[in-house]
Amino acid sequence: MLLAEQRRLLCEYGHRAAAAGLVVGTAGNLSVRAGDLVAVTPSGVPLDRLEPDACPVVDVGGHLVDGDLSPSSETPMHLAVYAATGAGAVVHTHSVFGTVVATTMSELPPVHYNALLLGGTVRVAGYATYGTPELAASVREALAGKRAALMANHGGVTIGDDLDGAYEATRLLEWLCEVYVRAKAVGEPRVLTEEQLADVVRRAFDPPTFPRRED
Ligand SMILES: [Zn+2]
């Protein structure tokens, strides 16, 4: 089977996304790239019921190369992201807190330093109908220089070097959105300043050292 390992991974992470409640029903789609080929989840199949041979393979130009089912309707968005970034995998979900933020805000400000792992402030891509080239273009713009974007009144999308990286970015994006929404219910969240974020970056390059005790 063409891209057998990539198709197996799509099922593994598709099952995990469904079990984690990041998608409901047939929502959400994942893809992984290998050279000029992309294995993607199929249209109309709930992620918790995915089987490897049900996952189509397309080329980066959008031609179907292998598989009996139609590629996800968001495949044009995945291909636009691959064309604009060096990503090895893309994950798109309709997670609850991500969608709450995407429905009410124009960006997710960095209120926790872990936002730096996604590129800091997360942009909300302008609304367009699902599956359209307009949505693909809007997401591509919102992702510039980032590992995550939210899609207005729709959900979230993340990229990674591989499927594990893209999936973990989706989990982090959802966590950051949940923290923001819950914080907002208590009071006005404090947004970290550029200086505070720069200090975090410096700290990451200069971690504390622990000299071994001489006995
Ligand atoms: Zn969607």
Side-chain angles (χ1 to χ4, degrees):
M1 182 168 62
L2 189 62
L3 302 192
E5 176 61 8
Q6 286 85 353
R7 287 158 123 172
R8 184 191 70 74
L9 286 169
L10 284 180
C11 296
E12 180 183 329
Y13 284 93
H15 297 169
R16 286 174 64 173
L22 294 166
V23 294
V24 172
T26 59
N29 33 78
L30 300 79
S31 69
V32 57
R33 179 176 182 170
D36 68 346
L37 295 179
V38 175
V40 61
T41 52
S43 179
V45 178
L47 292 185
D48 60 351
R49 291 178 215 162
L50 270 187
E51 301 279 352
D53 61 4
C55 295
V57 174
V58 297
D59 66 19
V60 290
H63 304 94
L64 183 62
V65 175
D66 192 25
D68 297 326
L69 299 180
S70 290
S72 161
S73 51
E74 291 295 6
T75 300
M77 185 258 286
H78 289 245
L79 297 179
V81 170
Y82 289 123
T85 69
V90 177
V91 172
H92 162 56
T93 74
H94 296 175
S95 62
V96 173
F97 287 96
T99 306
V100 167
V101 172
T103 301
T104 52
M105 302 177 65
S106 57
E107 62 179 31
L108 176 70
V111 297
H112 190 286
Y113 70 88
N114 275 354
L116 286 169
L117 296 169
L118 301 181
T121 299
V122 178
R123 301 186 192 99
V124 178
Y127 182 81
T129 308
Y130 84 93
T132 58
E134 290 76 17
L135 181 60
S138 168
V139 166
R140 192 185 59 221
E141 272 178 41
L143 266 176
K146 312 277 185 181
R147 298 184 85 80
L150 291 161
M151 301 152 71
N153 301 71
H154 185 155
V157 58
T158 58
I159 60 175
D161 295 338
D162 54 22
L163 209 38
D164 191 63
Y167 180 74
E168 287 305 319
T170 279
R171 295 209 320 134
L172 176 58
L173 175 62
E174 179 63 0
W175 182 82
L176 289 166
C177 288
E178 180 168 1
V179 166
Y180 187 88
V181 169
R182 291 189 184 278
K184 187 87 178 164
V186 177
E188 190 53 37
R190 285 188 298 273
V191 176
L192 294 173
T193 65
E194 291 291 328
E195 181 57 25
Q196 287 169 327
L197 292 170
D199 279 345
V200 171
V201 174
R202 278 193 286 274
R203 190 74 188 158
F205 285 105
D206 185 22
T209 55
F210 300 92
R212 190 168 293 278
R213 190 172 68 184
E214 308 279 343
D215 283 328

